């Protein structure tokens, strides 16, 4: 790296110093919360809290029937599929192809690798913690893997928040950037809640999934902000700067 390039790098870093510090502090705080939550789960301290919420979502005279009208259960079942591997794989693949065709290959490849490694991290955490699925209430959908953290909550947070954060960088207007980010957060939240309603995850599984997924997306955004150009090479605009 030449002296001019070095000065340019530090100048850009300095320009975003407050945002960088806030982001790093958020990551550190999130890691602390995730560590404490994992510790409490392993010690069994959260079971009463989890049990109370799961039972509150079922009818007292028949735990196999969730509260609310019949259409709500059907809607929740549809919502939870948005966090499935099939839907998320299709979404990630299509967005990656779109960005490649739009000649934004650095951010396209970064999005693809960020989501893929986030999924691997989710699987690794499940294996390490090895928490069984809840048996407090009957499950409303079939599940077979481990419980903590919620794969749907974490993987949907990883995918939708990462896609939202990185795609927002490609948008020209602030309003569209805010909408893309808000849509990612909204989808991650309702998918996580659907897993609790269906009885296939403890609430703490979902909280941990949200926390881990948000941390992953935040870290990916921070890396991309510094090192990955968001625009095509011939756009004639500077990296990450919108008008």
């Amino acid at each position: 790296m030449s002296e001019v390039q070095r000065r340019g790098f530090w100048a850009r870093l300095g320009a975003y110093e407050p945002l960088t510090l806030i982001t790093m502090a958020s990551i550190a705080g999130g890691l602390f919360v995730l560590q404490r939550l994992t510790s409490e789960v392993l010690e069994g301290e959260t079971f009463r809290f989890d049990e109370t919420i799961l039972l509150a979502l079922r009818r007292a005279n028949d735990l196999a029937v969730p509260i609310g009208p019949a259409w709500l259960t059907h809607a929740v079942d549809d919502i939870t599929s948005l966090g499935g591997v099939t839907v998320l794989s299709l979404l990630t693949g299509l967005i990656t192809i779109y960005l490649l065709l739009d000649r934004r290959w650095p951010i396209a490849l970064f999005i693809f690798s960020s989501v893929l490694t986030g999924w691997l991290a989710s699987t690794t955490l499940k294996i390490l913690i090895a928490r069984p699925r809840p048996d407090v209430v009957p499950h409303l959908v079939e599940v077979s893997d481990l419980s903590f953290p919620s794969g749907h909550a974490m993987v949907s947070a990883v995918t939708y928040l990462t896609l939202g954060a990185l795609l927002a960088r490609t948008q020209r207007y602030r309003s569209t950037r805010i909408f893309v980010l808000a849509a990612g957060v909204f989808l991650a939240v309702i998918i996580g809640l659907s897993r609790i309603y269906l009885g296939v995850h403890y609430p703490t599984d979902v909280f941990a999934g949200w926390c881990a997924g948000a941390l992953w997306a935040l870290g990916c955004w921070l890396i991309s902000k510094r090192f990955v150009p968001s625009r095509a090479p011939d756009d004639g605009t500077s990296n990450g700067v919108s008008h």
Side-chain angles (χ1 to χ4, degrees), residues 8 18-19 21 28 31 52 66 75 85 106-107 112 119 133 138 149 162-163 176 198 202 204 210 222 225:
L19 183 59
L21 292 175
L31 286 172
T52 299
V85 173
I107 198 167
F112 182 81
W119 291 5
R133 291 279 179 167
T162 298
L163 290 175
T176 54
L198 295 172
Y202 295 108
T204 46
W210 282 337
L222 184 62
K225 190 72 174 175

Side-chain angles (χ1 to χ4, degrees), residues 2 5 12 29 35-36 61 110 131 157 164 178 189 210 231:
S2 67
Q5 290 174 322
R12 288 194 300 272
Q35 185 275 328
R36 290 299 303 163
N61 59 344
F110 187 78
R131 187 187 199 186
I178 292 174
V189 169
W210 282 337
R231 303 193 181 278

Side-chain angles (χ1 to χ4, degrees), residues 81-99:
S81 66
L82 295 175
V85 173
T86 301
V87 172
L88 295 179
S89 297
L90 286 172
L91 179 65
T92 303
L94 290 173
I95 289 178
T96 300
I97 293 171
Y98 164 76
L99 291 172

Side-chain angles (χ1 to χ4, degrees), residues 19 22-23 51 83 89 103-106 110 140 142 180 186 188 210 214 222 233 235 241:
L19 183 59
I22 292 172
T23 304
E51 182 183 44
S89 297
R103 289 185 290 180
R104 300 180 182 186
W105 61 267
F110 187 78
L140 299 184
E142 268 191 58
V180 169
F186 175 73
W210 282 337
L222 184 62
D235 273 357
V241 178

Side-chain angles (χ1 to χ4, degrees), residues 126 131-133 143-149 151-152 195 200-201:
K126 277 181 173 287
R131 187 187 199 186
R133 291 279 179 167
V143 289
S144 58
D145 59 344
L146 297 168
S147 191
F148 186 95
H152 272 65
R195 305 306 283 175
V200 295
H201 273 297

Side-chain angles (χ1 to χ4, degrees), residues 40-224:
E40 293 294 316
V41 166
L42 289 174
E43 294 172 3
E45 298 295 329
T46 63
F47 180 75
R48 181 164 296 183
F49 167 79
D50 287 324
E51 182 183 44
T52 299
I53 293 180
L54 288 176
L55 291 175
L57 294 173
R58 298 300 174 94
R59 296 183 181 177
N61 59 344
D62 188 354
L63 295 181
V65 180
I67 60 173
W71 63 262
L72 179 60
T73 304
H74 180 73
V76 170
D77 192 33
D78 288 340
I79 289 171
T80 206
S81 66
L82 295 175
V85 173
T86 301
V87 172
L88 295 179
S89 297
L90 286 172
L91 179 65
T92 303
L94 290 173
I95 289 178
T96 300
I97 293 171
Y98 164 76
L99 291 172
L100 288 173
L101 294 175
D102 201 38
R103 289 185 290 180
R104 300 180 182 186
W105 61 267
I107 198 167
L109 297 179
F110 187 78
I111 284 177
F112 182 81
S113 60
S114 297
V115 172
L116 179 61
T117 52
W119 291 5
L120 293 175
S122 173
T123 302
T124 301
L125 284 174
K126 277 181 173 287
I127 295 172
L128 290 176
I129 305 302
R131 187 187 199 186
R133 291 279 179 167
D135 56 3
V136 179
V137 296
H139 301 165
L140 299 184
V141 293
E142 268 191 58
V143 289
S144 58
D145 59 344
L146 297 168
S147 191
F148 186 95
S150 165
H152 272 65
M154 181 174 175
V155 172
S156 63
V158 166
T159 305
Y160 290 119
L161 296 185
T162 298
L163 290 175
L166 299 185
L167 286 178
R169 294 188 54 221
T170 70
Q171 303 305 305
R172 182 180 299 273
Y173 302 107
R174 182 182 298 272
S175 58
T176 54
R177 292 197 294 269
I178 292 174
F179 174 78
V180 169
L181 286 170
V185 172
F186 175 73
L187 288 171
V189 169
I190 62 173
I191 289 168
L193 293 177
S194 74
R195 305 306 283 175
I196 301 174
Y197 184 85
L198 295 172
V200 295
H201 273 297
Y202 295 108
T204 46
D205 296 338
V206 172
F207 297 157
W210 282 337
C211 186
L215 284 171
W216 196 270
L218 191 58
C220 290
W221 175 85
L222 184 62
I223 294 171
S224 73

